[in-house]
Amino acid sequence: YSRLARISMNCHDDGSNGRRFLPVHNALKLGLSLDDGLEDIVNAYPDALSVPDPESNLIPCLQSAVGAKAKVAVIYQLIMKRPDLIAILCKSPTSGWCEQFPTIPPNC
């Protein structure tokens, strides 16, 4: 099987209220770059960019920024595909982002 097929087959229920790891979550854990198949995965199911990883509870653009396999190009491209998701986090009164990151503009 190709690497992309193996990632897709690894989607499974993590046992926490039926939430599933999606191919994008597995690809990010493996540290795939856009050229290694991540872009194909995202293009196949763009709505996955708004689905939190069941383990970390981070949406993919944030999940991509965690750990030793983080790549700036991947982080940037995922944010650019769905910048509205970051705006939602910033505007949410319960997210705490505005308080945690004082460099975010005050209208946050």
Side-chain angles (χ1 to χ4, degrees):
Y1 292 103
S2 71
R3 189 171 187 185
L4 187 58
R6 283 194 308 260
I7 291 167
S8 296
M9 288 188 294
N10 284 332
C11 297
H12 63 280
D13 186 340
D14 73 342
S16 64
N17 302 320
R19 293 173 67 183
R20 299 177 63 84
F21 289 93
L22 297 176
V24 70
H25 301 141
N26 292 324
L28 291 170
K29 286 178 186 170
L30 292 172
L32 257 66
S33 69
L34 297 166
D35 295 334
D36 289 336
L38 178 60
E39 188 161 24
D40 294 331
I41 291 169
V42 170
N43 289 339
Y45 184 45
D47 289 342
L49 293 177
S50 65
V51 178
D53 172 76
E55 191 174 77
S56 67
N57 206 32
L58 297 173
I59 57 174
C61 66
L62 298 178
Q63 181 190 1
S64 68
V66 175
K69 296 180 180 180
K71 298 173 184 159
V72 173
V74 171
I75 298 163
Y76 177 77
Q77 288 300 321
L78 293 180
I79 289 172
M80 294 310 295
K81 286 183 181 290
R82 289 292 308 270
D84 58 305
L85 295 173
I86 297 299
I88 288 169
L89 288 173
C90 185
K91 291 177 183 174
S92 170
T94 59
S95 73
W97 274 54
C98 295
E99 294 79 25
Q100 291 177 28
F101 300 100
T103 57
I104 294 176
N107 64 347
C108 174

